[in-house]
Amino acid sequence: MKEARSPSRRPGIRAAMFVDFDNVYTGLQALDPAAAKRFAEDPKHWADALSGAGSGESSRRFLIRNCYLNPVVYSKYRTYWTRAGFRVIDCPSLTQRGKSSTDINLVLDAMDTLSGSGGIDEFFIASADADFTSLIQRFRAADKMTTVIAAGAVAFAYREMADNVVESHDFVAILNGTTVEPIHAVASVQPPRAEGAPKEKARPKTASAAVKEVCDFVRTAPGPVVGAMVAHRALTVDPSLKTDWGGCGKFGTWVAQIGQGVEYSASRGGWVWDAQRFSIEDLPNEADVESGIEERVARVTDVPALSAAQFRQLFLAMAARLREQPANRSELAKLVRDDCVTAGQPVSRGAVNFVLQGLGYVDFQLTDTATAEELAAAWTDDVEELCRVALMEFDDAERLALRRWASGGFVEA
């Protein structure tokens, strides 16, 4: 009698996706209504982008595609999702306040999948709802890769628990068809390991031209240089680094492994310096960077830890760019980032995107008539709301300091 042969495992990462439709759709509506429409009406497009091209080891196979939506509000989108191969689970409102059963249904299905025999390697949660933090913790405890698809501000703890986060601006770029890199690079995972095999460390890929640029820049600088400015110089020489920083994932890890006398510290906003001339003792004092209320807010809410001067320059640059091309949202963050660097107040593209996202949450319209003062006031309102949601409490003096800092000095009361 022949021994039964176990089925061979097809190449690719075995993945499961759970989509909180209501959360993602409303988040996208605040950021980019056109992208929200594409999310709702063409799920196959962005799901295929997330799966990666081809059928090799680096691609994903979504064995489970679940979508949870409120049928009373969003039933018109159901056919688009079923046609794209999703299982649609109706989650009607259960309370007068509109709270649906999405959370509990999603969690139950995800836990069933985790304990099942499907051998899922990676779990995707499409929602910015921090209520799913405990679920992500369970995935990690089971040694599963986790990826969060965000369409809104992601709570710090939620972000830290996930292995990868597809940020709002990256997801909007996918939906609008403007992403230029394979999407597997945005949230990269490794193929499953054989049982008992040791984990392999990712080997950084160093771009020599960018490394030379950074070394030359740091060695001629009059002192330690803020990390955002160094990152800008590296990306100018090698734009491909913006995907995953040569396999290192983020700028800090990439620049720290350069060596050649280049030192990096993530403290006080991130600094790079020439070790032959300076040390960590030469970094600006905490009080000179930002301290007190600003540091507390940045730590708790994930608001970019910029100085008041950086925020001010960001709003000035944004207003100027909006006067030139108000409709070009996809390029706005990059242009504003470059303008701030040129003006000597470097900020990261991620920080600009975070501000743009906050402006969307307070329904601020990015038109050619928007002034720096109006942008600053709207952004400050969003920062105060983030603080309120995080249960942060301030006295009158602290609240005034918060508004002055977040607005770059444009809001004085």
Side-chain angles (χ1 to χ4, degrees):
M1 184 175 180
K2 289 186 177 180
E3 186 176 339
R5 185 190 304 171
S6 60
S8 59
R9 179 159 168 158
R10 291 169 57 186
I13 299 163
R14 297 159 70 93
M17 181 186 296
F18 302 88
V19 180
D20 181 349
F21 183 96
D22 302 25
N23 180 280
V24 177
Y25 184 76
T26 55
L28 288 172
Q29 280 280 23
L31 294 173
D32 188 328
K37 187 174 187 294
R38 294 187 183 97
F39 162 78
E41 297 183 355
D42 192 8
K44 184 180 186 303
H45 164 73
W46 57 264
D48 286 349
L50 288 170
S51 68
S55 58
E57 293 292 336
S58 63
S59 65
R60 296 185 181 89
R61 295 174 55 221
F62 284 108
L63 304 187
I64 295 174
R65 297 187 184 192
N66 284 2
C67 172
Y68 304 81
L69 59 73
N70 186 332
V72 177
V73 183
Y74 300 116
S75 61
K76 64 180 180 180
Y77 297 119
R78 168 187 283 277
T79 55
Y80 296 111
W81 290 73
T82 55
R83 188 175 61 188
F86 279 80
R87 170 178 170 242
V88 178
I89 297 91
D90 288 337
C91 300
S93 299
L94 301 177
T95 67
Q96 291 182 343
R97 294 186 177 182
K99 179 64 175 177
S100 74
S101 57
T102 290
D103 290 8
I104 186 64
N105 281 317
L106 192 156
V107 169
L108 288 173
D109 287 345
M111 290 303 298
D112 285 345
T113 302
L114 180 63
S115 60
S117 58
I120 297 299
D121 307 308
E122 182 179 15
F123 286 80
F124 276 69
I125 303 295
S127 177
D129 192 340
D131 288 349
F132 294 123
T133 302
S134 296
L135 181 62
I136 298 294
Q137 290 175 328
R138 295 296 294 270
F139 294 152
R140 287 181 65 89
D143 195 24
K144 303 296 184 181
M145 295 295 295
T146 57
T147 296
V148 169
I149 303 173
V154 181
F156 187 76
Y158 189 32
R159 177 188 299 275
E160 288 300 297
M161 285 306 304
D163 291 296
N164 305 287
V165 177
V166 180
E167 301 286 358
S168 299
H169 53 275
D170 290 321
F171 195 40
V172 169
I174 297 168
L175 293 165
N176 290 336
T178 57
T179 181
V180 295
E181 300 291 341
I183 193 58
H184 65 265
V186 175
S188 58
V189 297
Q190 296 298 322
R193 304 186 306 274
E195 186 174 352
K199 292 184 177 181
E200 294 185 7
K201 282 190 174 181
R203 185 173 298 175
K205 299 175 290 184
T206 304
S208 57
V211 169
K212 183 178 185 304
E213 175 68 19
V214 167
C215 290
D216 291 345
F217 180 49
V218 171
R219 287 168 184 163
T220 57
V225 186
V226 67
M229 184 172 288
V230 178
H232 175 69
R233 296 294 288 263
L235 291 173
T236 300
V237 174
D238 186 359
S240 69
L241 285 173
K242 69 181 180 181
T243 302
D244 66 347
W245 286 99
C248 295
K250 55 186 179 180
F251 166 72
T253 306
W254 178 81
V255 76
Q257 56 83 44
I258 286 179
Q260 303 183 44
V262 174
E263 294 287 340
Y264 169 78
S265 172
S267 66
R268 307 172 198 178
W271 292 83
V272 185
W273 65 91
D274 176 9
Q276 294 186 356
R277 295 182 297 141
F278 307 105
S279 70
I280 197 168
E281 302 298 326
D282 296 303
L283 299 189
N285 296 326
E286 291 284 355
D288 294 335
V289 180
E290 282 301 339
S291 59
I293 189 67
E294 299 92 338
E295 183 181 355
R296 286 170 52 200
V297 171
R299 186 188 307 122
V300 174
T301 67
D302 221 18
V303 167
L306 305 180
S307 67
Q310 287 173 311
F311 274 127
R312 187 180 188 86
Q313 185 58 48
L314 187 156
F315 298 128
L316 290 169
M318 190 176 294
R321 286 295 178 178
L322 286 171
R323 286 194 295 272
E324 295 178 10
Q325 41 192 5
N328 193 357
R329 164 68 195 276
S330 62
E331 285 293 309
L332 184 58
K334 177 182 181 298
L335 294 171
V336 170
R337 186 273 312 274
D338 292 346
D339 291 345
C340 289
V341 170
T342 301
Q345 294 292 345
V347 301
S348 69
R349 189 172 179 178
V352 181
N353 271 311
F354 195 98
V355 173
L356 287 170
Q357 181 174 284
L359 293 171
Y361 290 146
V362 295
D363 296 324
F364 186 87
Q365 300 301 310
L366 298 175
T367 66
D368 58 353
T369 61
T371 65
E373 292 82 357
E374 292 170 340
L375 289 163
W379 159 249
T380 302
D381 288 343
D382 181 64
V383 172
E384 289 185 311
E385 176 62 14
L386 289 173
C387 293
R388 186 192 67 78
V389 172
L391 303 180
M392 299 185 71
E393 297 182 357
F394 309 113
D395 59 29
D396 291 342
E398 290 174 326
R399 185 171 292 103
L400 178 59
L402 168 65
R403 292 178 66 79
R404 285 175 174 170
W405 164 66
S407 70
F410 281 117
V411 178
E412 294 291 338

